[in-house]
């Protein structure tokens, strides 16, 4: 069963990462929730294909590197969301944050730390205005991410070996990797389990 807004508020209450200038390499994403309180959706993007970007073509939460000009990691997530999909989070309810995660690529540390911040945009599923960094943006129902029928595995190649990574399928795309980890943490706060392959 999909969590309603009040359950999410309770689960995230008192979970605020320090709102200060980040130290070291920092990235931040926004979990932007919208829709009716009992049928919430989260904004996900399909990153445009760019050869130098190791995450190009991946499904992701809006966000990216925190700039030196950002007052905090949360400010970076707000700015990146506005730039990537045209959603303004400056004055919408901020519900809380998740634990920082180390970012890896190909199983190796990158030295980047990821902070995740949760917002409620409102009852309407607002239209997106994607930037050229975003191939497409979606409102994905939370219930879809929890439904075991949508669980899958994404094959990845590492050191010449093919491995299967847990994923959720949405409109022919894999939600996997770091985004899957962040969403798993989010649902675990409410003692719920993201869709997982058998």
């Amino acid at each position: 069963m999909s969590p309603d807004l009040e359950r999410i508020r309770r689960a995230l209450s008192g979970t605020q990462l320090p709102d200060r200038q980040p130290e070291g390499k920092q990235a931040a994403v926004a979990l932007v929730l919208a829709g009716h309180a009992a049928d919430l959706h989260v904004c996900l993007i399909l990153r445009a294909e760019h050869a130098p970007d190791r995450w190009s073509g991946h499904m992701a939460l809006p966000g990216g590197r925190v700039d030196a000009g950002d007052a905090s990691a949360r400010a970076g997530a707000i700015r990146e969301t506005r730039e990537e999909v045209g959603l303004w989070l400056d004055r919408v309810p901020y519900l809380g944050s998740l634990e920082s995660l180390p970012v890896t690529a190909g199983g190796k540390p990158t030295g980047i730390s990821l902070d995740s911040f949760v917002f409620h945009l409102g009852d309407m599923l607002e239209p997106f205005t994607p930037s050229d960094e975003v191939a497409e943006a979606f409102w994905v129902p939370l219930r879809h991410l929890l439904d075991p029928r949508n669980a899958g595995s994404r094959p990845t190649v590492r050191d010449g070996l093919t491995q299967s990574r847990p994923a959720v399928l949405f409109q022919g795309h894999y939600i996997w990797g770091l985004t899957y980890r962040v969403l798993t943490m989010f649902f675990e706060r409410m003692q719920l389990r993201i869709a997982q392959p058998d």
Side-chain angles (χ1 to χ4, degrees):
M1 183 177 183
S2 180
D4 63 19
L5 185 58
E6 186 53 38
R7 183 174 178 182
I8 294 170
R9 284 187 199 279
R10 288 197 309 269
L12 295 175
S13 65
T15 59
Q16 309 269 341
L17 288 168
D19 207 11
R20 61 171 183 250
Q21 184 75 32
E23 300 172 2
K25 293 181 181 178
Q26 181 77 53
V29 294
L31 283 84
V32 185
L33 305 176
H36 296 297
D39 186 24
L40 292 167
H41 295 58
V42 64
C43 169
L44 290 178
I45 63 173
L46 178 64
R47 295 202 170 278
E49 296 278 357
H50 294 297
D53 181 3
R54 67 186 75 170
W55 291 288
S56 74
H58 288 198
M59 289 286 281
L61 294 155
R65 286 285 185 96
V66 178
D67 290 344
D70 293 321
S72 64
R74 181 167 58 155
I78 290 171
R79 174 187 53 76
E80 285 279 351
T81 301
R82 182 176 65 251
E83 292 173 359
E84 290 185 341
V85 291
L87 298 179
W88 291 71
L89 304 177
D90 308 74
R91 294 183 174 87
V92 306
Y94 167 56
L95 304 181
S97 57
L98 304 176
E99 295 85 1
S100 295
L101 279 175
V103 178
T104 59
K108 298 172 183 171
T110 62
I112 302 170
S113 175
L114 177 73
D115 288 349
S116 305
F117 302 92
V118 186
F119 301 85
H120 181 232
L121 190 62
D123 293 341
M124 300 292 293
L125 300 179
E126 300 288 346
F128 302 113
T129 52
S131 72
D132 59 2
E133 297 177 25
V134 176
E136 198 168 354
F138 310 88
W139 285 116
V140 180
L142 295 187
R143 65 180 182 277
H144 181 95
L145 299 170
L146 293 166
D147 190 334
R149 293 172 295 183
N150 300 320
S153 297
R154 184 187 188 276
T156 61
V157 178
R158 182 185 298 172
D159 299 327
L161 298 174
T162 301
Q163 302 174 329
S164 291
R165 301 290 179 198
V168 177
L169 295 169
F170 179 76
Q171 295 187 10
H173 303 292
Y174 290 101
I175 302 166
W176 71 292
L178 189 58
T179 302
Y180 185 91
R181 288 169 62 197
V182 171
L183 292 169
T184 297
M185 287 170 48
F186 170 69
F187 286 122
E188 283 176 348
R189 284 290 186 85
M190 288 149 277
Q191 299 180 322
L192 295 170
R193 180 177 170 178
I194 194 171
Q196 297 178 2
D198 295 332

